[in-house]
Amino acid sequence: MSYPYQIKDLAGYHEAYQKSIQTPDAFWGEVAENFTWQKKWDKVSDWNFKEPSIKWFIGGKLNITENCLDRHLETMGEKPAIIWEPNDPAESHRIITYKQLHLKVCQFAQVLYNNGVKKGDRVCLYMGMIPELAIAVLACARIGAIHSVIFGGFSAQSIADRLDDAKANFIITCDGAYRGAKDIPLKSVIDDALVGNKNIQRVIVCTRTRTAVSMLKGRDVWWEDEIKKVAAQGTQFVPAEAMDAEDPLFILYTSGSTGKPKGVVHSVAGYMVYTNYTFVNTFNYHPDDIFFCTADIGWITGHSYMVYAPLSAGGTSMMFEGIPTFPDAGRFWDIIDKFKVNILYTAPTAIRSLMGFGLGPVKEHDLSSLKVLGTVGEPINEEAWNWYNEHIGKNKCPIVDTWWQTETGGIMISNMAGITPGKAGWATYPMPGIEPVLVDDKGEEVVKTTSDEEPGILRGNLCIKQAWPSTIRTTYGDHERCRTNYFATYDNLYFTGDGAFRNEAGQYRITGRVDDVLNVSGHRIGTAEVENAINMHAGVVESAVVGYPHDIKGQGIYAFVIYTGSHAQDTHGTADMVRKDILQTVTRIIGPIAKPDKIQFVSGLPKTRSGKIMRRILRKVAEGELTSLGDTSTLLDPAVVDEIVKGVL
Ligand code: PRX
């Protein structure tokens, strides 16, 4: 069995691509026919990048959960929708069929209603990777509440900022989360985030680790108690709210080049159609395949390719609570073997880290069920690609290198498994509906190669010409920010913030961010955000943060810090406490994921006469390229550079 819009071969890709670019409305209208609509759309699309105003399936009414659940009940009610593997392999796994998931989502939707949640309310989810997180996401969508999932690695302060920005009035959390050998006290972090918060009406707490938690009367309720009430009410079914195609589905915060994360907003219909289409076609998904996306639901990859797309396609989504190295580095391979996973979708950083453990953990497991492999989140280096191909795919599984972003909702540039050819390190071809273009800094389309060494290769800033169904709609509460960030750099183009190459065959290779955004283990972190956090530390005068190549994480965080505070005498040597103090501050302000890998104390930063930090020089220092720092004569004080070079870590 396959899907009516499933591309079958290379010619089929070219045909779909041509049609999608020449007549996008006809193309997407046809794809959208395969979904359940409460009312069909009047017009497929209407958009301009000026404002920006982006609308798809205008006038249509639907609910994404009817597409993810209800419509599958009759034909595949007993099929596993989610297979969940716990952190601890000694605990039992859970298999949740479509019928069971539907019931659980309806019951939790009723819990939300009982607790006063209404359509349009913003609900923050701060949970571990348990099925209840997917259930909560879907229950919000069922009643039209806008979910905003926050990754468990963010601090109370980060949560407080996001709650404030989203004007959230409800929270769903867990007592704690298991991650490898650690228990993360989620509810306690939420309590810290809520000090002084006046908007949150209710916190629903799901039991997972059964750690002691404070439960405030009138505000905090247990998930299980609320479900019992609903069961006593006899609720088996909650009708799906009729959503306008353009109603917001969720907010997901992501880092940019400014200090404050942005709340990326996606709307219901376009997101549903595009994620489903790209899921089926990129992975060459067939309805009985078991799809294992290793991302956390706190990131866009988990939203799109663990929850919404596999379920809207009636597929089986594998969900894993733990980490790849617990209890040992064979955990992914064990899961693949145990559940006969067919498609594995993971990040290059995970592959690199597992490579470090050698082949022992791989060899103990039968990986012959695998048909397709995928990567996402950062460029994949050739060594990791080759290892993945040879030792995991046994040279018989296509590897799809999927390039996309939180803002794009779904995969934008990627080879398609078994359909279009792959190429190590290259994302290759655009998806149907996506028209990439490379521009220079002035916004002129790049048409000529600038390098003799790589004839035929064009380099430039990667932009997209036409809107696609899951284009970012706005940044929550600040539309102007959305415009200036993505649509104002170049006229009439969506600017990705990435640089890329294109070869004569029209394939793309993404080279990484061209703005001040780092990609650490596949996660986006703005240098300005980290600098702000470091500068909050008492005694820090100023700091500058840059990325440097890191064997496992892809990029590491290197901070240059001017510090004149207490204990300044112990900013030397390895057992230095001030460094640890700064790391604590960053952990408090953002979370452990933003901790610098290296902190170098300096007495000054290289600045131009107008006071701008010359990051180019700092980047070279951090990369260890000390002999090619370029022209430093325009600096206010060139001597700082010598000092920085001497102290490099
Ligand atoms: O720089 C690109 C990189 O990750 C950024 C998007 O990050 P985020 O919104 O967190 O979403 C990550 C998961 C979709 C991009 O701007 N990136 C993502 N995928 C790739 C990639 N870089 C190279 N190759 C990829 N396949």
Side-chain angles (χ1 to χ4, degrees):
M1 227 187 87
S2 64
Y3 300 86
Y5 44 92
Q6 189 143 34
I7 294 171
K8 304 264 169 354
D9 50 27
L10 189 59
Y13 163 73
H14 288 302
E15 196 186 313
Y17 188 76
Q18 287 313 322
K19 181 167 177 187
S20 74
I21 299 301
Q22 281 154 13
T23 53
D25 281 13
F27 179 83
W28 289 113
E30 244 171 65
V31 175
E33 293 285 355
N34 296 285
F35 293 80
T36 299
W37 297 83
Q38 295 177 2
K39 175 184 169 288
K40 208 180 146 175
W41 59 92
D42 305 314
K43 188 167 184 241
V44 174
S45 78
D46 188 11
W47 57 269
N48 74 69
F49 280 172
K50 272 253 159 322
E51 298 177 49
S53 163
I54 291 142
K55 296 190 173 123
W56 285 83
F57 309 108
I58 301 145
K61 296 267 182 208
L62 76 162
N63 189 292
I64 195 166
T65 70
E66 285 187 320
N67 285 278
C68 288
L69 301 168
D70 303 57
R71 68 167 171 159
H72 307 314
L73 293 184
E74 209 167 294
T75 50
M76 47 177 125
E78 304 307 325
K79 176 176 173 173
I82 294 176
I83 303 177
W84 177 77
E85 170 74 4
N87 180 61
D88 179 352
E91 193 186 335
S92 306
H93 66 269
R94 288 167 65 185
I95 294 180
I96 303 174
T97 65
Y98 272 97
K99 221 164 154 180
Q100 291 165 337
L101 186 60
H102 180 262
L103 176 66
K104 285 175 188 295
V105 169
C106 283
Q107 289 186 323
F108 196 67
Q110 187 60 49
V111 168
L112 295 176
Y113 278 142
N114 290 354
N115 281 279
V117 186
K118 297 181 305 298
K119 179 175 178 177
D121 282 341
R122 275 81 49 221
V123 182
C124 160
L125 278 58
Y126 187 67
M127 301 171 77
M129 283 288 288
I130 54 175
E132 284 66 25
L133 171 52
I135 292 165
V137 160
L138 293 164
C140 287
R142 183 114 186 139
I143 71 167
I146 303 168
H147 58 77
S148 175
V149 185
I150 301 179
F151 175 63
F154 282 110
S155 69
Q157 182 65 54
S158 293
I159 298 169
D161 292 346
R162 285 159 170 77
L163 292 176
D164 191 41
D165 188 81
K167 299 181 184 62
N169 26 19
F170 296 91
I171 293 180
I172 307 169
T173 188
C174 298
D175 49 356
Y178 294 124
R179 267 182 77 74
K182 288 192 208 135
D183 295 0
I184 300 162
L186 297 177
K187 172 64 166 61
S188 156
V189 178
I190 287 290
D191 289 337
D192 288 345
L194 289 184
V195 174
N197 182 302
K198 301 231 174 354
N199 298 326
I200 295 297
Q201 297 165 28
R202 197 66 92 228
V203 180
I204 303 177
V205 185
C206 183
T207 308
R208 174 61 185 136
T209 55
R210 197 54 194 101
T211 29
V213 292
S214 104
M215 292 293 283
L216 276 197
K217 194 177 286 170
R219 189 195 71 184
D220 301 348
V221 295
W222 288 104
W223 173 299
E224 298 76 16
D225 290 347
E226 296 304 299
I227 290 287
K228 272 192 207 132
K229 286 185 206 159
V230 165
Q233 273 172 267
T235 307
Q236 301 274 328
F237 177 75
V238 167
E241 190 70 38
M243 303 297 287
D244 189 87
E246 278 303 326
D247 277 338
L249 176 63
F250 64 82
I251 305 171
L252 185 56
Y253 283 87
T254 188
S255 294
S257 46
T258 58
K260 195 171 158 255
K262 307 171 276 226
V264 172
V265 176
H266 283 288
S267 58
V268 180
Y271 176 81
M272 173 187 77
V273 170
Y274 191 77
T275 51
N276 177 298
Y277 181 85
T278 49
F279 172 70
V280 164
N281 285 303
T282 306
F283 300 103
N284 204 340
Y285 187 82
H286 286 77
D288 289 325
D289 290 338
I290 297 181
F291 184 83
F292 181 16
C293 166
T294 70
D296 191 288
I297 296 180
W299 306 109
I300 190 70
T301 308
H303 281 59
S304 300
Y305 297 107
M306 184 179 310
V307 181
Y308 285 115
L311 298 179
S312 74
T316 298
S317 185
M318 178 83 227
M319 178 176 186
F320 173 41
E321 181 182 34
I323 57 170
T325 49
F326 182 83
D328 59 52
R331 195 66 196 281
F332 278 179
W333 325 129
D334 181 49
I335 293 172
I336 291 165
D337 189 354
K338 181 168 165 192
F339 298 102
K340 304 293 164 228
V341 167
N342 304 110
I343 305 172
L344 173 67
Y345 190 31
T346 194
T349 186
I351 300 168
R352 286 193 298 265
S353 115
L354 294 174
M355 266 167 74
F357 291 88
L359 292 177
V362 182
K363 287 203 171 120
E364 289 162 21
H365 304 284
D366 175 10
L367 303 182
S368 61
S369 57
L370 285 173
K371 295 195 294 192
V372 174
L373 303 175
T375 69
V376 59
E378 47 173 326
I380 181 161
N381 48 312
E382 227 161 287
E383 196 192 350
W385 193 96
N386 287 332
W387 189 86
Y388 200 31
N389 182 41
E390 193 177 327
H391 300 295
I392 307 306
K394 317 288 182 201
N395 295 309
K396 67 173 179 58
C397 300
I399 299 177
V400 291
D401 178 350
T402 66
W403 172 82
W404 56 295
Q405 309 177 297
T406 306
E407 294 84 347
T408 71
I411 296 165
M412 299 286 280
I413 302 182
S414 175
N415 50 314
M416 292 180 174
I419 306 291
T420 65
K423 189 170 157 71
W426 290 67
T428 74
Y429 292 112
M431 287 286 127
I434 307 306
E435 200 177 359
V437 56
L438 297 178
V439 300
D440 62 20
D441 289 337
K442 292 190 205 79
E444 300 292 330
E445 186 162 346
V446 176
V447 287
K448 269 208 330 258
T449 176
T450 47
S451 157
D452 295 338
E453 287 156 34
E454 297 165 316
I457 300 264
L458 306 179
R459 299 163 174 247
N461 300 321
L462 179 64
C463 294
I464 311 290
K465 273 188 186 169
Q466 301 192 6
W468 61 100
S470 63
T471 310
I472 178 174
R473 297 306 198 258
T474 189
T475 44
Y476 192 79
D478 191 350
H479 193 61
E480 178 58 12
R481 197 163 174 217
C482 174
R483 191 186 71 80
T484 50
N485 259 287
Y486 308 106
F487 299 95
T489 315
Y490 306 114
D491 244 9
N492 280 319
L493 295 175
Y494 166 82
F495 177 42
T496 65
D498 280 319
F501 294 169
R502 186 174 68 222
N503 65 14
E504 282 167 331
Q507 296 170 315
Y508 288 83
R509 177 191 181 99
I510 313 300
T511 50
R513 304 289 303 192
V514 294
D515 52 10
D516 290 323
V517 173
L518 306 180
N519 190 328
V520 179
S521 300
H523 301 318
R524 254 158 82 170
I525 298 174
T527 53
E529 237 179 290
V530 183
E531 287 165 6
N532 285 352
I534 295 174
N535 297 347
M536 300 274 286
H537 185 73
V540 169
V541 178
E542 201 180 5
S543 64
V545 164
V546 296
Y548 71 97
H550 187 288
D551 284 350
I552 308 278
K553 298 178 174 182
Q555 260 187 320
I557 303 178
Y558 196 123
F560 297 88
V561 176
I562 306 176
Y563 181 83
T564 58
S566 301
H567 306 294
Q569 70 280 9
D570 32 87
T571 52
H572 307 289
T574 45
D576 140 32
M577 286 307 291
V578 176
R579 268 194 191 98
K580 290 184 186 152
D581 295 340
I582 293 175
L583 294 182
Q584 283 290 349
T585 305
V586 173
T587 304
R588 285 260 167 221
I589 304 292
I590 307 177
I593 53 171
K595 280 198 298 197
D597 299 275
K598 295 183 180 180
I599 297 176
Q600 181 181 347
F601 293 106
V602 296
S603 62
L605 292 167
K607 287 190 179 171
T608 60
R609 289 194 182 95
S610 59
K612 224 178 128 230
I613 297 174
M614 295 263 288
R615 287 164 188 285
R616 178 177 56 77
I617 293 176
L618 295 177
R619 244 178 255 130
K620 291 252 174 184
V621 173
E623 285 166 8
E625 288 184 34
L626 305 179
T627 51
S628 56
L629 297 180
D631 183 14
T632 55
S633 63
T634 57
L635 290 176
L636 193 59
D637 178 11
V640 267
V641 177
D642 299 334
E643 182 214 305
I644 290 174
V645 166
K646 278 202 202 99
V648 70
L649 299 173

